[in-house]
Amino acid sequence: MIVLGIESSCDETAAAVVKDGCQVLSSVVFSQIPLHKPYGGVVPEIASRSHLEKISEVVNEAVERSGLGWDGIDAVAVTYGPGLASSLIVGLNTAKGLALALKKPLIGINHIEAHIHSVFLDKPEIPHVYPLLALVVSGGHSAWIECLRPGSYRILGQTLDDAAGEAFDKAAKVLGLGYPGGPVIDQAARRARGDGSYKFPKGRVQPDNPCLGNLRSELCVSFSGLKTSLMHTLKKQPAETPEAVAEVAFAYQEAIVGALADRCAIAVSDGKYKALALGGGVSLNKRLREALQTVCSDAGIPLLLAEPKYCGDNAAMIAGLAGVGGGIVGAEAFELDVVPSLQAGECG
Ligand code: KG4
Ligand code: ZN
């Protein structure tokens, strides 16, 4: 099955053609980062306008580069949530139009679930083992998700406020390091000695927190206090040299990575999961990869990592998940509207 995937949930306009769920024939990503950089974050109006300007070109290029042409496409898959409503709608409407014109099925895909599938793209050697535990960490999400098979997901824990990527982005802004924050903090932290001169909280959540609902407190995090703690710390202990900035970046990154790794260790401790899959833009973080490798080695399970080009937002993961049976199909898919606050395991 050859699926054309379309993704426009945030600040990347992307299209890809994927064979049988895992073999990527083409993947085109137009990143809007330079457009949002001057504002230090994604500006929704700029994002949706740029999606509108770019989507036809990106989709055409993906089909062309696949070498199959339009006749080779068996289905059209698209992200319908979560994300920015005004961005999602561009991709969803484009996909609906294409599926109707091509007389092919439309498949509505949950963006977070697709990040989990990204670990299987272009990796024929990796066994698809289930149940697996997934950690999806990006600018918009930080969640621990149980996956019983493609299409079956349950959130075990998540951030109660800021996502890990958001915490990195906010800190980089405070430190004047630029946008997006994750890569620059990752880089700055590599220059640190790790001398312990700065310390930040690991975002623990109390069991009586009213926001928990059915989630396990020990598998949830709260990152909103980190930025406040950073600002207080910098008032008391200003980071006036590049060396001091590197120490701050290191300690801040350790707090986030430590929080994520601790929750993963707890989640895999009962031996239920056969692998840990890591997805989302923050999964590019070197320290996070190292820390989770240790967690997985201790638990005796593999750590499944996506190729770097599939860690951030892309459409190959959308087409891929559709190709292995995930998502909403049939007449229901054509009825779909965008669902900006869609959670993993929810059908909207
Ligand atoms: O998945 P993604 O491309 O888009 C969203 O769905 O949000 O993730 C973007 C996020 C940004 O917050 C960015 O700062 C973060 O991923 N990020 C990183 C690294 N590279 C990107 N965070 C930490 N370390 C990195 N190396
Ligand atoms: Zn994403």
Side-chain angles (χ1 to χ4, degrees), residues 9-12 111 115 137-141 164-169 179-187 190 253 279-286 311-313 317:
S9 64
C10 190
D11 58 345
E12 264 92 24
H111 178 91
H115 268 304
V137 267
S138 71
H141 324 281
E166 200 176 347
F168 276 117
D169 294 341
Y179 172 84
V184 281
I185 293 207
D186 190 345
Q187 284 302 328
R190 289 181 205 190
Q253 175 174 270
V282 179
S283 72
L284 286 165
N285 187 273
K286 186 170 172 270
C311 287
D313 288 348
M317 65 185 192

PDB file of all heavy atoms in Angstrom, residues 9-12 111 115 137-141 164-169 179-187 190 253 279-286 311-313 317, ligand 1:
ATOM      1  N   SER A   9       0.532  20.533  11.177  1.00  0.00           N
ATOM      2  CA  SER A   9      -0.076  20.846  12.485  1.00  0.00           C
ATOM      3  C   SER A   9       0.544  22.044  13.178  1.00  0.00           C
ATOM      4  O   SER A   9      -0.096  22.685  14.002  1.00  0.00           O
ATOM      5  CB  SER A   9       0.016  19.627  13.399  1.00  0.00           C
ATOM      6  OG  SER A   9       1.362  19.323  13.673  1.00  0.00           O
ATOM      7  N   CYS A  10       1.794  22.374  12.857  1.00  0.00           N
ATOM      8  CA  CYS A  10       2.423  23.489  13.565  1.00  0.00           C
ATOM      9  C   CYS A  10       3.208  24.363  12.580  1.00  0.00           C
ATOM     10  O   CYS A  10       2.603  25.098  11.805  1.00  0.00           O
ATOM     11  CB  CYS A  10       3.293  22.946  14.683  1.00  0.00           C
ATOM     12  SG  CYS A  10       3.878  24.226  15.786  1.00  0.00           S
ATOM     13  N   ASP A  11       4.519  24.254  12.584  1.00  0.00           N
ATOM     14  CA  ASP A  11       5.301  25.163  11.739  1.00  0.00           C
ATOM     15  C   ASP A  11       6.128  24.433  10.694  1.00  0.00           C
ATOM     16  O   ASP A  11       7.134  24.946  10.232  1.00  0.00           O
ATOM     17  CB  ASP A  11       6.191  26.069  12.606  1.00  0.00           C
ATOM     18  CG  ASP A  11       7.150  25.278  13.483  1.00  0.00           C
ATOM     19  OD1 ASP A  11       6.939  24.063  13.638  1.00  0.00           O
ATOM     20  OD2 ASP A  11       8.103  25.870  14.011  1.00  0.00           O
ATOM     21  N   GLU A  12       5.708  23.218  10.325  1.00  0.00           N
ATOM     22  CA  GLU A  12       6.348  22.535   9.213  1.00  0.00           C
ATOM     23  C   GLU A  12       5.269  22.149   8.204  1.00  0.00           C
ATOM     24  O   GLU A  12       4.254  21.563   8.589  1.00  0.00           O
ATOM     25  CB  GLU A  12       7.047  21.244   9.667  1.00  0.00           C
ATOM     26  CG  GLU A  12       8.523  21.405   9.939  1.00  0.00           C
ATOM     27  CD  GLU A  12       8.817  21.734  11.385  1.00  0.00           C
ATOM     28  OE1 GLU A  12       7.967  21.393  12.229  1.00  0.00           O
ATOM     29  OE2 GLU A  12       9.860  22.354  11.679  1.00  0.00           O
ATOM     30  N   HIS A 111      -1.434  13.124  15.312  1.00  0.00           N
ATOM     31  CA  HIS A 111      -0.011  13.518  15.187  1.00  0.00           C
ATOM     32  C   HIS A 111       0.873  12.870  16.266  1.00  0.00           C
ATOM     33  O   HIS A 111       2.002  12.444  15.976  1.00  0.00           O
ATOM     34  CB  HIS A 111       0.041  15.049  15.292  1.00  0.00           C
ATOM     35  CG  HIS A 111       1.392  15.642  15.232  1.00  0.00           C
ATOM     36  ND1 HIS A 111       1.982  16.033  14.060  1.00  0.00           N
ATOM     37  CD2 HIS A 111       2.284  15.929  16.213  1.00  0.00           C
ATOM     38  CE1 HIS A 111       3.171  16.530  14.319  1.00  0.00           C
ATOM     39  NE2 HIS A 111       3.387  16.485  15.623  1.00  0.00           N
ATOM     40  N   HIS A 115       4.130  10.250  15.813  1.00  0.00           N
ATOM     41  CA  HIS A 115       5.502  10.399  16.334  1.00  0.00           C
ATOM     42  C   HIS A 115       6.005   9.045  16.865  1.00  0.00           C
ATOM     43  O   HIS A 115       7.189   8.736  16.749  1.00  0.00           O
ATOM     44  CB  HIS A 115       5.551  11.427  17.460  1.00  0.00           C
ATOM     45  CG  HIS A 115       5.854  12.827  16.985  1.00  0.00           C
ATOM     46  ND1 HIS A 115       6.973  13.137  16.255  1.00  0.00           N
ATOM     47  CD2 HIS A 115       5.185  13.999  17.164  1.00  0.00           C
ATOM     48  CE1 HIS A 115       6.979  14.437  15.999  1.00  0.00           C
ATOM     49  NE2 HIS A 115       5.905  14.988  16.537  1.00  0.00           N
ATOM     50  N   VAL A 137       8.136  13.531  23.068  1.00  0.00           N
ATOM     51  CA  VAL A 137       8.553  14.813  23.639  1.00  0.00           C
ATOM     52  C   VAL A 137       8.841  15.813  22.525  1.00  0.00           C
ATOM     53  O   VAL A 137       9.748  15.613  21.718  1.00  0.00           O
ATOM     54  CB  VAL A 137       9.812  14.665  24.539  1.00  0.00           C
ATOM     55  CG1 VAL A 137       9.443  14.466  25.972  1.00  0.00           C
ATOM     56  CG2 VAL A 137      10.756  13.577  24.066  1.00  0.00           C
ATOM     57  N   SER A 138       8.052  16.884  22.498  1.00  0.00           N
ATOM     58  CA  SER A 138       8.238  17.880  21.445  1.00  0.00           C
ATOM     59  C   SER A 138       7.938  19.255  22.003  1.00  0.00           C
ATOM     60  O   SER A 138       7.831  19.431  23.218  1.00  0.00           O
ATOM     61  CB  SER A 138       7.299  17.556  20.283  1.00  0.00           C
ATOM     62  OG  SER A 138       5.981  17.834  20.685  1.00  0.00           O
ATOM     63  N   GLY A 139       7.781  20.225  21.088  1.00  0.00           N
ATOM     64  CA  GLY A 139       7.468  21.580  21.543  1.00  0.00           C
ATOM     65  C   GLY A 139       6.062  21.665  22.110  1.00  0.00           C
ATOM     66  O   GLY A 139       5.750  22.578  22.876  1.00  0.00           O
ATOM     67  N   GLY A 140       5.209  20.731  21.747  1.00  0.00           N
ATOM     68  CA  GLY A 140       3.820  20.782  22.213  1.00  0.00           C
ATOM     69  C   GLY A 140       3.429  19.659  23.148  1.00  0.00           C
ATOM     70  O   GLY A 140       2.378  19.727  23.793  1.00  0.00           O
ATOM     71  N   HIS A 141       4.236  18.596  23.242  1.00  0.00           N
ATOM     72  CA  HIS A 141       3.814  17.426  24.016  1.00  0.00           C
ATOM     73  C   HIS A 141       4.940  16.811  24.817  1.00  0.00           C
ATOM     74  O   HIS A 141       6.093  16.838  24.398  1.00  0.00           O
ATOM     75  CB  HIS A 141       3.267  16.323  23.095  1.00  0.00           C
ATOM     76  CG  HIS A 141       2.507  16.866  21.948  1.00  0.00           C
ATOM     77  ND1 HIS A 141       1.218  17.294  22.077  1.00  0.00           N
ATOM     78  CD2 HIS A 141       2.880  17.113  20.674  1.00  0.00           C
ATOM     79  CE1 HIS A 141       0.822  17.782  20.916  1.00  0.00           C
ATOM     80  NE2 HIS A 141       1.806  17.685  20.054  1.00  0.00           N
ATOM     81  N   ALA A 164       8.259  19.547  27.245  1.00  0.00           N
ATOM     82  CA  ALA A 164       9.719  19.607  27.428  1.00  0.00           C
ATOM     83  C   ALA A 164      10.354  20.585  26.430  1.00  0.00           C
ATOM     84  O   ALA A 164      11.203  21.403  26.802  1.00  0.00           O
ATOM     85  CB  ALA A 164      10.317  18.214  27.258  1.00  0.00           C
ATOM     86  N   GLY A 165       9.929  20.525  25.168  1.00  0.00           N
ATOM     87  CA  GLY A 165      10.493  21.422  24.154  1.00  0.00           C
ATOM     88  C   GLY A 165      10.200  22.880  24.480  1.00  0.00           C
ATOM     89  O   GLY A 165      11.046  23.756  24.283  1.00  0.00           O
ATOM     90  N   GLU A 166       8.997  23.100  24.992  1.00  0.00           N
ATOM     91  CA  GLU A 166       8.596  24.462  25.374  1.00  0.00           C
ATOM     92  C   GLU A 166       9.506  24.966  26.496  1.00  0.00           C
ATOM     93  O   GLU A 166       9.919  26.131  26.501  1.00  0.00           O
ATOM     94  CB  GLU A 166       7.153  24.361  25.876  1.00  0.00           C
ATOM     95  CG  GLU A 166       6.356  25.605  25.893  1.00  0.00           C
ATOM     96  CD  GLU A 166       4.912  25.292  26.339  1.00  0.00           C
ATOM     97  OE1 GLU A 166       4.495  24.095  26.391  1.00  0.00           O
ATOM     98  OE2 GLU A 166       4.217  26.257  26.660  1.00  0.00           O
ATOM     99  N   ALA A 167       9.818  24.074  27.448  1.00  0.00           N
ATOM    100  CA  ALA A 167      10.697  24.441  28.564  1.00  0.00           C
ATOM    101  C   ALA A 167      12.093  24.801  28.034  1.00  0.00           C
ATOM    102  O   ALA A 167      12.704  25.771  28.487  1.00  0.00           O
ATOM    103  CB  ALA A 167      10.786  23.298  29.569  1.00  0.00           C
ATOM    104  N   PHE A 168      12.573  24.042  27.044  1.00  0.00           N
ATOM    105  CA  PHE A 168      13.868  24.373  26.430  1.00  0.00           C
ATOM    106  C   PHE A 168      13.774  25.728  25.709  1.00  0.00           C
ATOM    107  O   PHE A 168      14.666  26.568  25.819  1.00  0.00           O
ATOM    108  CB  PHE A 168      14.274  23.302  25.407  1.00  0.00           C
ATOM    109  CG  PHE A 168      14.958  22.104  26.010  1.00  0.00           C
ATOM    110  CD1 PHE A 168      14.389  20.838  25.933  1.00  0.00           C
ATOM    111  CD2 PHE A 168      16.191  22.229  26.631  1.00  0.00           C
ATOM    112  CE1 PHE A 168      15.020  19.728  26.481  1.00  0.00           C
ATOM    113  CE2 PHE A 168      16.845  21.122  27.175  1.00  0.00           C
ATOM    114  CZ  PHE A 168      16.251  19.872  27.108  1.00  0.00           C
ATOM    115  N   ASP A 169      12.690  25.913  24.960  1.00  0.00           N
ATOM    116  CA  ASP A 169      12.547  27.153  24.174  1.00  0.00           C
ATOM    117  C   ASP A 169      12.483  28.379  25.079  1.00  0.00           C
ATOM    118  O   ASP A 169      13.087  29.414  24.790  1.00  0.00           O
ATOM    119  CB  ASP A 169      11.300  27.069  23.273  1.00  0.00           C
ATOM    120  CG  ASP A 169      11.442  26.004  22.193  1.00  0.00           C
ATOM    121  OD1 ASP A 169      12.592  25.591  21.904  1.00  0.00           O
ATOM    122  OD2 ASP A 169      10.418  25.551  21.652  1.00  0.00           O
ATOM    123  N   TYR A 179      16.233  30.823  19.044  1.00  0.00           N
ATOM    124  CA  TYR A 179      15.091  29.921  18.857  1.00  0.00           C
ATOM    125  C   TYR A 179      15.365  29.010  17.658  1.00  0.00           C
ATOM    126  O   TYR A 179      15.913  29.486  16.672  1.00  0.00           O
ATOM    127  CB  TYR A 179      13.835  30.775  18.626  1.00  0.00           C
ATOM    128  CG  TYR A 179      12.621  29.969  18.228  1.00  0.00           C
ATOM    129  CD1 TYR A 179      11.825  29.368  19.195  1.00  0.00           C
ATOM    130  CD2 TYR A 179      12.295  29.793  16.879  1.00  0.00           C
ATOM    131  CE1 TYR A 179      10.724  28.610  18.827  1.00  0.00           C
ATOM    132  CE2 TYR A 179      11.203  29.041  16.511  1.00  0.00           C
ATOM    133  CZ  TYR A 179      10.423  28.456  17.482  1.00  0.00           C
ATOM    134  OH  TYR A 179       9.341  27.706  17.126  1.00  0.00           O
ATOM    135  N   PRO A 180      14.970  27.742  17.674  1.00  0.00           N
ATOM    136  CA  PRO A 180      14.385  27.009  18.805  1.00  0.00           C
ATOM    137  C   PRO A 180      15.422  26.705  19.881  1.00  0.00           C
ATOM    138  O   PRO A 180      16.613  26.548  19.589  1.00  0.00           O
ATOM    139  CB  PRO A 180      13.846  25.726  18.153  1.00  0.00           C
ATOM    140  CG  PRO A 180      14.586  25.568  16.879  1.00  0.00           C
ATOM    141  CD  PRO A 180      15.072  26.931  16.458  1.00  0.00           C
ATOM    142  N   GLY A 181      14.946  26.592  21.110  1.00  0.00           N
ATOM    143  CA  GLY A 181      15.840  26.521  22.254  1.00  0.00           C
ATOM    144  C   GLY A 181      16.526  25.184  22.471  1.00  0.00           C
ATOM    145  O   GLY A 181      17.656  25.144  22.964  1.00  0.00           O
ATOM    146  N   GLY A 182      15.839  24.100  22.126  1.00  0.00           N
ATOM    147  CA  GLY A 182      16.398  22.771  22.402  1.00  0.00           C
ATOM    148  C   GLY A 182      17.796  22.574  21.845  1.00  0.00           C
ATOM    149  O   GLY A 182      18.732  22.257  22.589  1.00  0.00           O
ATOM    150  N   PRO A 183      17.979  22.773  20.528  1.00  0.00           N
ATOM    151  CA  PRO A 183      19.305  22.534  19.957  1.00  0.00           C
ATOM    152  C   PRO A 183      20.381  23.443  20.556  1.00  0.00           C
ATOM    153  O   PRO A 183      21.502  22.999  20.786  1.00  0.00           O
ATOM    154  CB  PRO A 183      19.116  22.836  18.465  1.00  0.00           C
ATOM    155  CG  PRO A 183      17.652  22.783  18.227  1.00  0.00           C
ATOM    156  CD  PRO A 183      16.970  23.086  19.511  1.00  0.00           C
ATOM    157  N   VAL A 184      20.043  24.716  20.836  1.00  0.00           N
ATOM    158  CA  VAL A 184      21.087  25.615  21.351  1.00  0.00           C
ATOM    159  C   VAL A 184      21.456  25.277  22.789  1.00  0.00           C
ATOM    160  O   VAL A 184      22.621  25.367  23.184  1.00  0.00           O
ATOM    161  CB  VAL A 184      20.705  27.127  21.221  1.00  0.00           C
ATOM    162  CG1 VAL A 184      20.920  27.604  19.819  1.00  0.00           C
ATOM    163  CG2 VAL A 184      19.318  27.437  21.699  1.00  0.00           C
ATOM    164  N   ILE A 185      20.471  24.845  23.583  1.00  0.00           N
ATOM    165  CA  ILE A 185      20.789  24.454  24.962  1.00  0.00           C
ATOM    166  C   ILE A 185      21.593  23.156  24.951  1.00  0.00           C
ATOM    167  O   ILE A 185      22.570  22.995  25.688  1.00  0.00           O
ATOM    168  CB  ILE A 185      19.495  24.332  25.793  1.00  0.00           C
ATOM    169  CG1 ILE A 185      18.907  25.734  25.927  1.00  0.00           C
ATOM    170  CG2 ILE A 185      19.766  23.663  27.154  1.00  0.00           C
ATOM    171  CD1 ILE A 185      18.087  26.029  27.092  1.00  0.00           C
ATOM    172  N   ASP A 186      21.193  22.233  24.081  1.00  0.00           N
ATOM    173  CA  ASP A 186      21.918  20.968  23.906  1.00  0.00           C
ATOM    174  C   ASP A 186      23.397  21.270  23.598  1.00  0.00           C
ATOM    175  O   ASP A 186      24.318  20.736  24.225  1.00  0.00           O
ATOM    176  CB  ASP A 186      21.247  20.205  22.740  1.00  0.00           C
ATOM    177  CG  ASP A 186      21.724  18.776  22.582  1.00  0.00           C
ATOM    178  OD1 ASP A 186      22.757  18.441  23.169  1.00  0.00           O
ATOM    179  OD2 ASP A 186      21.076  18.007  21.857  1.00  0.00           O
ATOM    180  N   GLN A 187      23.620  22.187  22.648  1.00  0.00           N
ATOM    181  CA  GLN A 187      24.995  22.551  22.249  1.00  0.00           C
ATOM    182  C   GLN A 187      25.747  23.235  23.385  1.00  0.00           C
ATOM    183  O   GLN A 187      26.888  22.879  23.685  1.00  0.00           O
ATOM    184  CB  GLN A 187      24.963  23.509  21.036  1.00  0.00           C
ATOM    185  CG  GLN A 187      24.661  22.832  19.704  1.00  0.00           C
ATOM    186  CD  GLN A 187      25.669  21.741  19.366  1.00  0.00           C
ATOM    187  OE1 GLN A 187      26.843  21.836  19.722  1.00  0.00           O
ATOM    188  NE2 GLN A 187      25.209  20.687  18.704  1.00  0.00           N
ATOM    189  N   ARG A 190      26.944  21.028  26.158  1.00  0.00           N
ATOM    190  CA  ARG A 190      28.111  20.168  25.836  1.00  0.00           C
ATOM    191  C   ARG A 190      29.427  20.854  26.205  1.00  0.00           C
ATOM    192  O   ARG A 190      30.447  20.206  26.350  1.00  0.00           O
ATOM    193  CB  ARG A 190      28.123  19.820  24.344  1.00  0.00           C
ATOM    194  CG  ARG A 190      27.013  18.843  23.994  1.00  0.00           C
ATOM    195  CD  ARG A 190      27.035  18.482  22.532  1.00  0.00           C
ATOM    196  NE  ARG A 190      25.695  18.069  22.112  1.00  0.00           N
ATOM    197  CZ  ARG A 190      25.427  17.516  20.949  1.00  0.00           C
ATOM    198  NH1 ARG A 190      26.372  17.303  20.097  1.00  0.00           N
ATOM    199  NH2 ARG A 190      24.187  17.179  20.649  1.00  0.00           N
ATOM    200  N   GLN A 253      19.137  21.425  31.426  1.00  0.00           N
ATOM    201  CA  GLN A 253      18.934  20.226  30.601  1.00  0.00           C
ATOM    202  C   GLN A 253      18.905  18.964  31.478  1.00  0.00           C
ATOM    203  O   GLN A 253      18.087  18.076  31.260  1.00  0.00           O
ATOM    204  CB  GLN A 253      20.045  20.131  29.570  1.00  0.00           C
ATOM    205  CG  GLN A 253      20.010  18.871  28.736  1.00  0.00           C
ATOM    206  CD  GLN A 253      21.045  18.894  27.634  1.00  0.00           C
ATOM    207  OE1 GLN A 253      20.781  19.349  26.528  1.00  0.00           O
ATOM    208  NE2 GLN A 253      22.228  18.418  27.924  1.00  0.00           N
ATOM    209  N   GLY A 279      10.023   9.519  20.567  1.00  0.00           N
ATOM    210  CA  GLY A 279       9.676  10.314  19.381  1.00  0.00           C
ATOM    211  C   GLY A 279       9.526  11.789  19.701  1.00  0.00           C
ATOM    212  O   GLY A 279       9.458  12.186  20.866  1.00  0.00           O
ATOM    213  N   GLY A 280       9.470  12.629  18.654  1.00  0.00           N
ATOM    214  CA  GLY A 280       9.291  14.073  18.837  1.00  0.00           C
ATOM    215  C   GLY A 280      10.611  14.817  18.746  1.00  0.00           C
ATOM    216  O   GLY A 280      11.684  14.221  18.899  1.00  0.00           O
ATOM    217  N   GLY A 281      10.547  16.116  18.516  1.00  0.00           N
ATOM    218  CA  GLY A 281      11.740  16.932  18.290  1.00  0.00           C
ATOM    219  C   GLY A 281      12.766  16.850  19.406  1.00  0.00           C
ATOM    220  O   GLY A 281      13.972  16.837  19.155  1.00  0.00           O
ATOM    221  N   VAL A 282      12.306  16.762  20.671  1.00  0.00           N
ATOM    222  CA  VAL A 282      13.245  16.731  21.801  1.00  0.00           C
ATOM    223  C   VAL A 282      14.029  15.411  21.822  1.00  0.00           C
ATOM    224  O   VAL A 282      15.078  15.311  22.456  1.00  0.00           O
ATOM    225  CB  VAL A 282      12.489  16.973  23.131  1.00  0.00           C
ATOM    226  CG1 VAL A 282      13.422  16.932  24.323  1.00  0.00           C
ATOM    227  CG2 VAL A 282      11.757  18.310  23.093  1.00  0.00           C
ATOM    228  N   SER A 283      13.545  14.409  21.095  1.00  0.00           N
ATOM    229  CA  SER A 283      14.256  13.123  21.073  1.00  0.00           C
ATOM    230  C   SER A 283      15.610  13.251  20.372  1.00  0.00           C
ATOM    231  O   SER A 283      16.419  12.333  20.396  1.00  0.00           O
ATOM    232  CB  SER A 283      13.409  12.028  20.417  1.00  0.00           C
ATOM    233  OG  SER A 283      13.313  12.230  19.033  1.00  0.00           O
ATOM    234  N   LEU A 284      15.870  14.404  19.756  1.00  0.00           N
ATOM    235  CA  LEU A 284      17.193  14.641  19.169  1.00  0.00           C
ATOM    236  C   LEU A 284      18.223  14.955  20.241  1.00  0.00           C
ATOM    237  O   LEU A 284      19.424  14.942  19.985  1.00  0.00           O
ATOM    238  CB  LEU A 284      17.134  15.835  18.206  1.00  0.00           C
ATOM    239  CG  LEU A 284      16.449  15.572  16.868  1.00  0.00           C
ATOM    240  CD1 LEU A 284      16.132  16.892  16.172  1.00  0.00           C
ATOM    241  CD2 LEU A 284      17.350  14.722  15.976  1.00  0.00           C
ATOM    242  N   ASN A 285      17.762  15.252  21.451  1.00  0.00           N
ATOM    243  CA  ASN A 285      18.675  15.659  22.520  1.00  0.00           C
ATOM    244  C   ASN A 285      19.633  14.527  22.895  1.00  0.00           C
ATOM    245  O   ASN A 285      19.227  13.423  23.240  1.00  0.00           O
ATOM    246  CB  ASN A 285      17.859  16.099  23.745  1.00  0.00           C
ATOM    247  CG  ASN A 285      18.737  16.690  24.813  1.00  0.00           C
ATOM    248  OD1 ASN A 285      19.267  15.978  25.653  1.00  0.00           O
ATOM    249  ND2 ASN A 285      18.907  17.995  24.775  1.00  0.00           N
ATOM    250  N   LYS A 286      20.927  14.872  22.826  1.00  0.00           N
ATOM    251  CA  LYS A 286      21.963  13.855  23.027  1.00  0.00           C
ATOM    252  C   LYS A 286      21.906  13.263  24.439  1.00  0.00           C
ATOM    253  O   LYS A 286      21.976  12.050  24.622  1.00  0.00           O
ATOM    254  CB  LYS A 286      23.326  14.512  22.767  1.00  0.00           C
ATOM    255  CG  LYS A 286      24.489  13.574  22.802  1.00  0.00           C
ATOM    256  CD  LYS A 286      25.744  14.280  22.283  1.00  0.00           C
ATOM    257  CE  LYS A 286      26.969  13.433  22.476  1.00  0.00           C
ATOM    258  NZ  LYS A 286      27.631  13.655  23.767  1.00  0.00           N
ATOM    259  N   CYS A 311      12.589  12.767  13.545  1.00  0.00           N
ATOM    260  CA  CYS A 311      12.304  13.109  14.948  1.00  0.00           C
ATOM    261  C   CYS A 311      11.361  14.304  15.034  1.00  0.00           C
ATOM    262  O   CYS A 311      10.386  14.299  15.775  1.00  0.00           O
ATOM    263  CB  CYS A 311      13.595  13.421  15.700  1.00  0.00           C
ATOM    264  SG  CYS A 311      14.574  11.960  16.045  1.00  0.00           S
ATOM    265  N   GLY A 312      11.662  15.338  14.284  1.00  0.00           N
ATOM    266  CA  GLY A 312      10.795  16.513  14.273  1.00  0.00           C
ATOM    267  C   GLY A 312       9.564  16.227  13.422  1.00  0.00           C
ATOM    268  O   GLY A 312       9.364  15.100  12.946  1.00  0.00           O
ATOM    269  N   ASP A 313       8.754  17.251  13.228  1.00  0.00           N
ATOM    270  CA  ASP A 313       7.520  17.037  12.466  1.00  0.00           C
ATOM    271  C   ASP A 313       7.831  16.715  11.002  1.00  0.00           C
ATOM    272  O   ASP A 313       8.656  17.374  10.371  1.00  0.00           O
ATOM    273  CB  ASP A 313       6.638  18.283  12.564  1.00  0.00           C
ATOM    274  CG  ASP A 313       6.036  18.393  13.948  1.00  0.00           C
ATOM    275  OD1 ASP A 313       6.124  17.409  14.712  1.00  0.00           O
ATOM    276  OD2 ASP A 313       5.471  19.449  14.261  1.00  0.00           O
ATOM    277  N   MET A 317       5.911  10.019   8.903  1.00  0.00           N
ATOM    278  CA  MET A 317       5.308   9.317  10.044  1.00  0.00           C
ATOM    279  C   MET A 317       3.770   9.270   9.917  1.00  0.00           C
ATOM    280  O   MET A 317       3.142   8.324  10.389  1.00  0.00           O
ATOM    281  CB  MET A 317       5.731   9.984  11.366  1.00  0.00           C
ATOM    282  CG  MET A 317       5.229  11.399  11.559  1.00  0.00           C
ATOM    283  SD  MET A 317       5.908  12.119  13.080  1.00  0.00           S
ATOM    284  CE  MET A 317       4.880  13.598  13.240  1.00  0.00           C
TER     285      MET A 317
HETATM  286  O1  KG4 B   1       8.468  17.633  17.113  1.00  0.00           O
HETATM  287  P1  KG4 B   1       8.866  19.045  16.850  1.00  0.00           P
HETATM  288  O2  KG4 B   1       9.696  19.329  15.622  1.00  0.00           O
HETATM  289  O3  KG4 B   1       7.612  19.964  16.750  1.00  0.00           O
HETATM  290  C1  KG4 B   1       6.536  19.903  17.630  1.00  0.00           C
HETATM  291  O4  KG4 B   1       5.617  19.086  17.392  1.00  0.00           O
HETATM  292  O5  KG4 B   1       6.607  20.659  18.616  1.00  0.00           O
HETATM  293  O6  KG4 B   1       9.645  19.559  18.160  1.00  0.00           O
HETATM  294  C2  KG4 B   1      10.170  20.851  18.251  1.00  0.00           C
HETATM  295  C3  KG4 B   1      10.786  20.993  19.635  1.00  0.00           C
HETATM  296  C4  KG4 B   1      11.260  22.407  19.936  1.00  0.00           C
HETATM  297  O7  KG4 B   1      10.746  22.810  21.186  1.00  0.00           O
HETATM  298  C5  KG4 B   1      12.770  22.274  19.980  1.00  0.00           C
HETATM  299  O8  KG4 B   1      13.384  23.184  20.883  1.00  0.00           O
HETATM  300  C6  KG4 B   1      12.942  20.833  20.439  1.00  0.00           C
HETATM  301  O9  KG4 B   1      11.931  20.131  19.767  1.00  0.00           O
HETATM  302  N1  KG4 B   1      14.261  20.296  20.096  1.00  0.00           N
HETATM  303  C7  KG4 B   1      15.163  19.893  21.011  1.00  0.00           C
HETATM  304  C8  KG4 B   1      16.336  19.501  20.304  1.00  0.00           C
HETATM  305  N2  KG4 B   1      16.087  19.661  18.971  1.00  0.00           N
HETATM  306  C9  KG4 B   1      14.805  20.150  18.863  1.00  0.00           C
HETATM  307  N3  KG4 B   1      15.097  19.853  22.350  1.00  0.00           N
HETATM  308  C10 KG4 B   1      16.186  19.425  23.015  1.00  0.00           C
HETATM  309  N4  KG4 B   1      17.341  19.048  22.424  1.00  0.00           N
HETATM  310  C11 KG4 B   1      17.457  19.067  21.073  1.00  0.00           C
HETATM  311  N5  KG4 B   1      18.610  18.703  20.495  1.00  0.00           N
END
